[in-house]
Amino acid sequence: AQRVTQPEKLLSVFKGAPVELKCNYSYSGSPELFWYVQYSRQRLQLLLRHISRESIKGFTADLNKGETSFHLKKPFAQEEDSAMYYCALRGGSEKLVFGKGTKLTVNP
Amino acid sequence: NAGVTQTPKFRILKIGQSMTLQCTQDMNHNYMYWYRQDPGMGLKLIYYSVGAGITDKGEVPNGYNVSRSTTEDFPLRLELAAPSQTSVYFCASRNANKQDEAFFGQGTRLTVV
């Protein structure tokens, strides 16, 4: 079974502080992992995919297969980063499963 | 390029009524998904489809039905609406290539009273 766990419902940081949004997964095969973001009154959109090893808007995420984690990090949070963040896993059956999401608030 | 379009945006249903949530994509994507989003519960997969004529159950399929007669359309049917189906529903589509992102519709807010 595919499962994604995001342990924090809410995360609040000050502008300029580092931020880490946690994501753990459960999947017996080789997973494909993503981070999606939903800004206020906007559609859900892709932020990062693990295979690209890219940095988008200063965010990075590393897949740790040993710890089955895909945490999202940014060294210096900005107010415009305030949003709902979802970790997602796609397995071999093409199911795309999401975690419960973490609401990030960056305070001035 | 319209992307993924959902109709209606809002709907209020009475218990026991039925309705169809429409989802259309113009990107020729093979895969399509229906999710419901409840506060604090994230996105739960209802049904998904890997191509025309093929559908499969997700995490919470009970009370819903889908069909995929064309590549573009993936309607979600509620036969006997219940208050537990009050939610925001999202449709998404993506290409068959690995790691391709899923594109989401703007959502349908459904209230069952």
Side-chain angles (χ1 to χ4, degrees):
Chain A
Q2 297 170 221
R3 191 164 57 246
V4 176
T5 303
Q6 291 180 253
E8 304 136 330
K9 279 188 180 180
L10 304 169
L11 186 60
S12 183
V13 301
F14 286 103
K15 177 182 173 181
V19 63
E20 181 180 45
L21 289 84
K22 292 184 167 50
C23 171
N24 288 90
Y25 67 91
S26 174
Y27 181 60
S28 57
S30 186
E32 293 178 18
L33 287 148
F34 307 83
W35 276 99
Y36 280 79
V37 60
Q38 189 176 27
Y39 300 104
S40 180
R41 291 186 294 277
Q42 292 188 29
R43 301 181 186 212
L44 209 67
Q45 57 187 285
L46 179 68
L47 180 64
L48 282 177
R49 65 197 91 189
H50 90 265
I51 202 167
S52 305
R53 300 187 65 81
E54 57 205 338
S55 174
I56 303 293
K57 298 183 179 182
F59 284 98
T60 58
D62 288 319
L63 176 61
N64 186 324
K65 290 188 177 181
E67 296 182 358
T68 59
S69 68
F70 188 55
H71 303 325
L72 184 68
K73 300 177 184 178
K74 185 169 183 176
F76 308 104
Q78 303 299 314
E79 288 180 67
E80 55 265 30
D81 296 329
S82 295
M84 197 74 186
Y85 291 81
Y86 291 96
C87 184
L89 180 152
R90 191 178 76 81
S93 65
E94 304 303 333
K95 263 188 197 178
L96 182 61
V97 175
F98 287 77
K100 293 185 178 182
T102 297
K103 184 176 181 180
L104 174 65
T105 302
V106 181
N107 300 299
Chain B
N1 191 343
V4 179
T5 303
Q6 290 182 236
T7 55
K9 288 186 180 178
F10 306 94
R11 182 73 186 268
I12 298 175
L13 274 183
K14 292 185 178 178
I15 294 172
Q17 285 185 319
S18 61
M19 78 162 293
T20 300
L21 283 69
Q22 301 290 347
C23 176
T24 299
Q25 53 92 8
D26 61 0
M27 297 172 281
N28 202 33
H29 285 170
N30 302 95
Y31 303 143
M32 295 188 75
Y33 305 84
W34 272 108
Y35 296 90
R36 57 178 289 171
Q37 183 184 44
D38 300 305
M41 299 302 292
L43 290 162
K44 291 289 188 183
L45 180 64
I46 305 171
Y47 270 96
Y48 67 106
S49 169
V50 299
I54 306 169
T55 62
D56 211 342
K57 294 179 181 179
E59 302 167 282
V60 290
N62 291 344
Y64 306 95
N65 279 301
V66 293
S67 59
R68 186 93 184 271
S69 56
T70 67
T71 299
E72 295 78 20
D73 301 308
F74 191 41
L76 178 72
R77 178 99 180 143
L78 283 72
E79 290 294 349
L80 290 168
S84 60
Q85 293 178 304
T86 294
S87 188
V88 180
Y89 291 84
F90 288 98
C91 178
S93 74
R94 79 176 180 87
N95 210 339
N97 293 332
K98 283 184 178 293
Q99 288 288 318
D100 266 18
E101 70 178 283
F103 291 86
F104 281 79
Q106 80 277 23
T108 295
R109 185 175 294 274
L110 175 68
T111 302
V112 182
V113 296

